[in-house]
Structure formats: C-alpha cells, structure tokens
Amino acid sequence: MIKLTGLDNKEFIINADVIEKLEAIPESLITLINGKKYLVKESNDEIVEKVIKYKRKIYTGNFQ
C-alpha cells in the first residue's frame, strides 16, 4: 500500500499491486486494473519510487 495525495490535497492509500498504468498529464493519472482512475499530485517517478519501497519492504520483511 502506498500513500498518495489527491488534487483536493487529501491523502489516501492505494494498493500498489492493482496499478495497471501511470500517465503524466501533467498530474499523474493512475489507472487500476479494474479501470478506476485517480489523479494525484505526486509525479510518476515519485509513485514508482513509493511502489519500489513498498515492494522492497514486502520481499525483505524489513518494515522499519
């Protein structure tokens, strides 16, 4: 799960495992595998880094 910020400045958490596609328009548009879309303030690069950090925690068991 990764924490993101919507265009309304509200934070929410999304399951990184269901992200299908990222687009820059110039905000980041996240499309999930179920077709639902989210516009967020974070850049695509920031989102990718958050997903990598999350996956690294899961696979290494290092949750600190």
Side-chain angles (χ1 to χ4, degrees):
M1 307 291 269
I2 59 173
K3 188 182 293 187
L4 298 170
T5 309
L7 297 183
D8 58 359
N9 289 320
K10 292 183 181 177
E11 289 187 343
F12 64 97
I13 297 173
I14 194 166
N15 183 347
D17 294 325
V18 296
I19 295 174
E20 180 177 0
K21 180 170 62 171
L22 293 174
E23 298 174 71
I25 58 167
E27 304 86 4
S28 292
L29 176 64
I30 301 171
T31 304
L32 304 182
I33 57 175
N34 66 2
K36 193 163 186 174
K37 298 177 186 270
Y38 293 91
L39 280 172
V40 298
K41 289 189 170 188
E42 288 82 4
S43 70
N44 284 353
D45 288 338
E46 290 173 297
I47 296 168
V48 168
E49 285 300 316
K50 287 177 182 254
V51 170
I52 290 169
K53 185 176 177 181
Y54 165 72
K55 295 285 187 176
R56 192 172 285 140
K57 284 181 181 180
I58 296 300
Y59 291 116
T60 65
N62 185 5
F63 296 100
Q64 297 180 6

